[in-house]
């Protein structure tokens, strides 16, 4: 995308562009293969995750947290499309063809929207876990499915508005710097503080439950606490992966505007590497859910088992229908043979009867 696939154009003439960096055909081919591979893994993984949430075979994925996870999978899916568009741009560069403006603008727009939506969704997920752990008795009133849907709508509206700012009179430099600080640096400090408080609260509640007698309420609370703990750890890992994937691009923006080494060939290579790292988070997220959250793992397996059963039933129905058709054909063949034999047996008698009738008529 324009913001991530190419050096952002600015209104300051002394800011050079890194688009003049020429890569070897081997390196371009390697980047093309990487983008196509990343795009395939991202789109397949997140489409499978969203399909599993939509089907909900185990009837356990209709919670506000899962709605936010589904929203994050949609944002990650768009990053897979961005990887395909980036591969198209590199293919044109590989064959020495001019850049496609439509592909560049589309990639920029989808990439900006998806990353902005992903960051906002991660913040909403962190708030969800914060309320669930810190104020568990107020959680059903404060966090509901309807409120989760409203927050998802606000997230996408904000992402769309922020993505069209570079097209307006806002300078690209100001937009990128504000974007990096508002959607990367500041949330990183806020979310780190929030998750530290959440984890301390989990440890405190676990220690309190260990001192309680083995009652039914305590056992249920322990199980709920373990589920919350696994979900919090999963969200923390997803957050860390996102920050690790966005950090190279954060460094790239600051080098571009504040470092004289921006005209070097090494910086041009680093730009491509930073672009590739942006896809890592979207590629890892679905596998993180399946690994850390048992209900997602169970739902994944249930979906695949149902698909296998349907395929087996379809194949069985197909073979049984073929066998039925063959049996019907054999029965029809037997009927025709029997009918021909009966007709051959009855025809001589009828001929003899006709002959006797003709002879009697002549005599008379």
């Amino acid at each position: 995308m324009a913001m991530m696939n190419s050096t952002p154009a600015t209104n300051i003439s002394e800011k050079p562009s890194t688009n003049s960096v020429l890569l070897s055909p081997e390196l371009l081919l390697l980047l093309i293969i990487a983008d196509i591979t990343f795009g395939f893994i991202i789109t397949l993984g997140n489409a499978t995750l969203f399909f599993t949430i939509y089907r909900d075979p185990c009837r356990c994925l209709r919670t506000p947290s899962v709605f936010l996870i589904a929203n994050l999978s949609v944002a990650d899916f768009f990053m897979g499309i961005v990887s395909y568009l980036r591969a198209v741009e590199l293919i044109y560069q590989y064959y020495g063809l001019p850049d496609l403006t439509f592909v560049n603008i589309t990639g920029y727009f989808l990439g900006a929207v998806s990353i902005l939506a992903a960051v906002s969704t991660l913040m909403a997920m962190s708030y969800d876990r914060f309320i669930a752990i810190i104020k568990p008795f107020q959680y059903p009133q404060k966090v509901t499915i309807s409120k989760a849907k409203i927050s998802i709508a606000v997230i996408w509206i904000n992402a769309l508005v922020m993505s069209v700012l570079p097209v307006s009179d806002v300078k690209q430099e100001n937009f990128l710097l504000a974007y990096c600080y508002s959607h990367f640096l500041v949330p990183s400090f806020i979310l780190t503080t929030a998750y530290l408080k959440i984890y301390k609260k989990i440890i405190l509640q676990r220690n309190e439950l260990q001192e309680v007698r083995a009652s039914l309420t305590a056992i249920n609370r322990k199980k709920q606490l373990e589920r919350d703990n696994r979900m919090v750890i999963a969200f923390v890992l997803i957050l860390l992966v996102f920050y690790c994937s966005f950090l190279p691009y954060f460094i790239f923006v600051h080098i571009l505007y504040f470092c004289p080494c921006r005209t070097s060939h090494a910086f041009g290579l680093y730009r491509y590497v930073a672009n590739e790292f942006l896809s890592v988070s979207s590629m890892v997220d679905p596998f993180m859910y399946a690994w850390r959250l048992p209900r997602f793992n169970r739902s994944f397996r249930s979906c695949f088992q149902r698909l296998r059963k349907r395929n087996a039933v379809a194949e069985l129905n197909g073979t049984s229908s073929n066998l039925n058709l063959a049996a019907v054909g054999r029965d029809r063949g037997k009927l025709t043979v029997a009918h021909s034999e009966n007709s051959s047996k009855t025809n001589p008698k009828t001929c003899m009867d006709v002959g006797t009738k003709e002879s009697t008529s002549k005599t008379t």
Side-chain angles (χ1 to χ4, degrees), residues 14 22 49 131 272 290:
E14 62 268 15
L22 296 177
L49 174 63
I131 299 298
Y272 287 97

Side-chain angles (χ1 to χ4, degrees), residues 28-297:
L28 278 175
L29 187 61
L30 182 63
L31 291 173
I32 291 169
I33 295 174
D35 279 324
I36 294 175
T37 304
F38 288 170
F40 177 77
I41 296 174
I42 291 170
T43 52
L44 180 61
N46 287 282
T48 304
L49 174 63
F50 190 82
F51 177 77
T52 303
I53 295 174
Y54 174 75
R55 297 291 297 175
D56 192 11
C58 299
R59 298 295 184 268
C60 61
L61 301 178
R62 289 294 180 267
T63 62
S65 302
V66 176
F67 271 83
L68 294 174
I69 291 173
N71 188 58
L72 184 61
S73 71
V74 174
D76 290 338
F77 182 84
F78 285 146
M79 282 302 297
I81 298 176
V82 172
S83 296
Y84 285 128
L85 294 176
R86 192 163 55 222
V88 171
E89 288 187 314
L90 291 175
I91 290 172
Y92 269 73
Q93 186 176 350
Y94 179 80
Y95 287 104
L97 300 174
D99 293 336
L100 293 175
T101 306
F102 175 76
V103 174
N104 190 276
I105 294 175
T106 304
Y108 155 75
F109 183 75
L110 288 178
V113 169
S114 62
I115 291 181
L116 289 167
V119 175
S120 301
T121 304
L122 288 172
M123 296 183 69
M125 292 163 64
S126 303
Y127 174 78
D128 171 81
R129 289 299 90 198
F130 184 85
I131 299 298
I133 302 300
I134 303 300
K135 301 177 180 180
F137 298 105
Q138 300 179 11
Y139 180 80
Q141 290 77 27
K142 287 192 173 184
V143 182
T144 61
I145 293 178
S146 60
K147 290 182 180 179
K149 292 179 180 179
I150 293 172
S151 65
I152 289 171
V154 172
I155 285 170
W156 285 103
I157 292 172
N158 172 69
L160 291 171
V161 171
M162 290 288 294
S163 299
V164 299
L165 286 179
V167 184
S168 60
D169 295 333
V170 179
K171 289 184 179 180
Q172 195 84 13
E173 177 182 2
N174 297 335
F175 169 77
L176 285 177
L177 291 174
Y179 166 78
C180 288
Y181 280 92
S182 63
H183 286 77
F184 176 72
L185 191 63
V186 175
S188 65
F189 286 109
I190 296 175
L191 296 179
T192 301
T193 305
Y195 276 112
L196 285 175
K197 189 172 181 179
I198 290 171
Y199 199 69
K200 287 181 180 179
K201 187 67 175 179
I202 290 176
I203 294 175
L204 180 62
Q205 291 180 2
R206 186 180 297 170
N207 293 333
E208 291 176 353
L209 287 174
Q210 288 178 355
E211 299 175 359
V212 178
R213 291 181 300 176
S215 61
L216 183 61
T217 305
I219 293 173
N220 292 334
R221 180 57 187 158
K222 285 182 181 179
K223 292 180 179 179
Q224 179 65 34
L225 190 62
E226 289 300 325
R227 288 194 295 267
D228 291 338
N229 186 32
R230 292 182 69 88
M231 185 171 286
V232 167
I233 293 176
F235 287 176
V236 168
L237 292 175
I238 291 168
L239 192 65
L240 290 175
V241 171
F242 174 79
Y243 286 146
C244 290
S245 64
F246 195 83
L247 182 61
Y249 185 78
F250 180 82
I251 298 172
F252 161 76
V253 172
H254 286 74
I255 294 176
L256 178 65
Y257 292 111
F258 301 110
C259 182
C261 64
R262 56 181 173 265
T263 57
S264 63
H265 183 75
F267 178 68
L269 294 177
Y270 177 77
R271 175 173 65 89
Y272 287 97
V273 175
N275 291 333
E276 298 299 329
F277 263 88
L278 288 171
S279 303
V280 173
S281 175
S282 302
M283 184 171 52
V284 172
D285 286 350
F287 301 98
M288 196 73 70
Y289 295 128
W291 171 49
R292 290 299 309 173
L293 303 179
R295 57 179 172 176
F296 277 95
N297 193 348

